[in-house]
């Protein structure tokens, strides 16, 4: 039933490790996103893919690499994790042809880097 | 200056009160405007779009003032279940899908 699902929900790891967050949507949307919400609650876009093609790449360190094997999946891999990467990461997708309208968010992955 | 600015609050109001939130945006080329709601430790969800003529959805009324680059959300007859963070959201281009979120305004409705 879940429209946008991301795993894991919680991720606790040591500095320097490499980790991945997976996201899948079953809504048939063409566009998927990764957003980061920091401790001050600001939600900032990181990446956006439309039909497996990267269309938005904000100023994000190269340690972050999104991968979209198909339009229903957008995974986020993070290399050499740093303390400042601790945040909640939200995956989202949007309706075809209406990228600016309703975003459907996953429930978030709380990443804690120790 | 932040692209989208909101008073983070919290706004503490009694049940039944009317409360208004404001939001200002810096880019005059902004095209689309929304209010999202985020409950504690949950994902944001679209509350309503904001149209130039203003729009209403039940107890919620949204207004847009392009000249002043200002958006508002009015909640009438507040319910306990309205307690959440309300995020003001703006887009610049209709083709990129890039939504710019404000920090959010936290509302606590007390019995």
């Amino acid at each position: 039933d879940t429209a946008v699902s991301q795993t894991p929900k919680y991720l606790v790891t040591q500095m320097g490790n490499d980790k991945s967050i997976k996201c899948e949507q079953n809504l048939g949307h063409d566009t998927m996103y990764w957003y980061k919400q920091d401790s001050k609650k600001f939600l900032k876009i990181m990446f956006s893919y439309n039909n497996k093609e990267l269309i938005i790449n904000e100023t994000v360190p190269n340690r972050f690499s999104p991968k979209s094997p198909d339009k229903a999946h957008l995974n986020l891999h993070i290399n050499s994790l740093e303390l400042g990467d601790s945040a909640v990461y939200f995956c989202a997708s949007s309706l075809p042809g209406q990228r600016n309208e309703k975003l459907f968010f996953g429930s978030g992955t709380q990443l804690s880097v120790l | 200056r932040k692209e989208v600015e909101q008073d983070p609050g919290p706004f503490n109001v009694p049940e039944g009160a009317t409360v208004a939130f404001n939001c200002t945006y810096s880019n005059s080329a902004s095209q689309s405007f929304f209010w999202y709601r985020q409950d504690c430790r949950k994902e944001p969800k679209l509350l309503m779009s904001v149209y130039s003529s203003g729009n209403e959805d039940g107890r919620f009324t949204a207004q847009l003032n392009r000249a002043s680059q200002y958006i508002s959300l009015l909640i009438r007859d507040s319910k306990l279940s309205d307690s959440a963070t309300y995020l003001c959201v703006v887009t610049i281009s209709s083709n990129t899908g890039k939504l710019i979120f404000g920090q959010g305004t936290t509302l606590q409705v007390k019995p």
Side-chain angles (χ1 to χ4, degrees), chain A residues 100, chain B residues 3-4 25-33 90-100:
Chain A
N100 288 335
Chain B
E3 291 178 281
V4 179
Y25 57 94
S26 61
N27 192 327
S28 59
S30 299
Q31 294 193 355
S32 303
F33 310 89
V90 167
T91 65
I92 309 300
S93 164
S94 60
N95 291 325
T96 65
K98 181 179 172 182
L99 274 67
I100 301 169

Side-chain angles (χ1 to χ4, degrees), chain B residues 3-111:
Chain B
E3 291 178 281
V4 179
E5 292 208 59
Q6 296 181 251
D7 179 350
F11 284 54
N12 295 304
V13 303
E15 266 187 295
T18 295
V19 61
F21 307 136
N22 300 322
C23 166
T24 57
Y25 57 94
S26 61
N27 192 327
S28 59
S30 299
Q31 294 193 355
S32 303
F33 310 89
F34 310 92
W35 284 101
Y36 274 71
R37 170 188 169 137
Q38 186 173 23
D39 292 296
C40 189
R41 301 184 187 280
K42 300 281 189 181
E43 70 274 21
K45 292 183 179 177
L46 178 67
L47 178 66
M48 58 197 302
S49 301
V50 186
Y51 302 121
S52 297
S53 54
N55 48 299
E56 190 173 305
D57 182 2
R59 297 181 293 108
F60 298 82
T61 301
Q63 298 275 356
L64 167 64
N65 184 323
R66 284 188 184 269
S68 302
Q69 295 181 198
Y70 166 101
I71 305 158
S72 65
L73 177 68
L74 182 78
I75 305 175
R76 288 181 299 279
D77 188 23
S78 300
K79 312 288 184 195
L80 295 176
S81 57
D82 293 334
S83 298
T85 296
Y86 291 84
L87 303 165
C88 177
V89 184
V90 167
T91 65
I92 309 300
S93 164
S94 60
N95 291 325
T96 65
K98 181 179 172 182
L99 274 67
I100 301 169
F101 285 77
Q103 184 181 6
T105 299
T106 298
L107 172 66
Q108 287 280 355
V109 181
K110 309 284 188 185

